[in-house]
Amino acid sequence: GAVCVDYGCGTLRLGIHVINYLQPSAYWGFDVADFLLEEGRRLIGEELWRHKRPNLRVISPASIAEVAARNPTMLFSITVFDHVHPNELSEYFKNILAIIGSDGQALVTGRWTDQETVQYSGRCWAHSVGRVKSLISALGGRMEKLSEEVSPFQGCENGKRGVLRVTQ
């Protein structure tokens, strides 16, 4: 009966498994472009769409408020963090905190550094984990590392990757 949010669901490659697991209308998939959501709907097929009735939305203030009113217990954002421009981190985490409210939690996977943010390819960043933690705290939330492993990548010998838990 839990409501679950897939923030950055893309074409539902992961979402289809969550949709199958949850009760009808309990899955909420969010992304920045409607064409990704439409492709996801096409890929999951009409039978699953009719049976599970997933909610797919383009990220906007109205859609954030709509899902927040459903009091989701879980939000996950898989590898989206790496693609969030440093200037957009505040909006990203503000949206996540608004969605999960005081009773939910968010699991965010990605890459980070213990130093400054590093852009390691065209639209990919390993964010400064200290800056992220401070930003989340300033927004009224808390962040903890659930897992972390050293993961060197271009431009960052001591880069890390893992899972962050965000709560209020």
Side-chain angles (χ1 to χ4, degrees):
V3 172
C4 184
V5 177
D6 183 352
Y7 195 87
C9 65
T11 59
L12 305 177
R13 289 178 304 195
L14 177 62
I16 190 170
H17 304 289
V18 180
I19 291 166
N20 276 313
Y21 177 77
L22 294 172
Q23 296 295 318
S25 298
Y27 174 89
W28 290 71
F30 282 78
D31 215 296
V32 296
D34 193 47
F35 76 88
L36 292 168
L37 301 175
E38 287 300 320
E39 181 65 10
R41 180 180 175 170
R42 187 185 70 72
L43 290 173
I44 66 170
E46 283 302 312
E47 183 177 332
L48 184 61
W49 179 261
R50 279 193 306 275
H51 176 66
K52 291 291 189 161
R53 299 183 309 278
N55 300 282
L56 304 180
R57 302 288 189 274
V58 172
I59 298 167
S60 71
S63 63
I64 298 298
E66 180 185 14
V67 73
R70 297 285 314 270
N71 299 314
T73 53
M74 175 61 69
L75 176 148
F76 59 92
S77 187
I78 307 301
T79 318
V80 175
F81 180 62
D82 299 8
H83 301 288
V84 177
H85 189 281
N87 294 338
E88 297 170 348
L89 275 177
S90 182
E91 180 181 2
Y92 174 74
F93 284 110
K94 181 181 169 192
N95 287 346
I96 287 173
L97 288 165
I99 290 169
I100 63 172
S102 59
D103 297 325
Q105 66 176 323
L107 300 178
V108 176
T109 70
R111 294 181 184 221
W112 57 79
T113 71
D114 290 328
Q115 292 92 29
E116 296 301 313
T117 296
V118 175
Q119 184 174 8
Y120 62 90
S121 72
R123 189 141 164 87
C124 296
W125 290 268
H127 296 287
S128 162
V129 74
R131 178 175 178 249
V132 168
K133 188 171 188 172
S134 294
L135 173 64
I136 291 169
S137 180
L139 292 169
R142 292 184 303 278
M143 182 206 87
E144 65 181 298
K145 297 176 196 171
L146 292 184
S147 72
E148 177 179 71
E149 63 183 53
V150 175
S151 177
F153 50 88
Q154 181 181 3
C156 190
E157 300 274 327
N158 60 354
K160 298 177 180 172
R161 69 177 174 193
V163 180
L164 305 174
R165 178 170 43 199
V166 178
T167 57
Q168 286 206 31

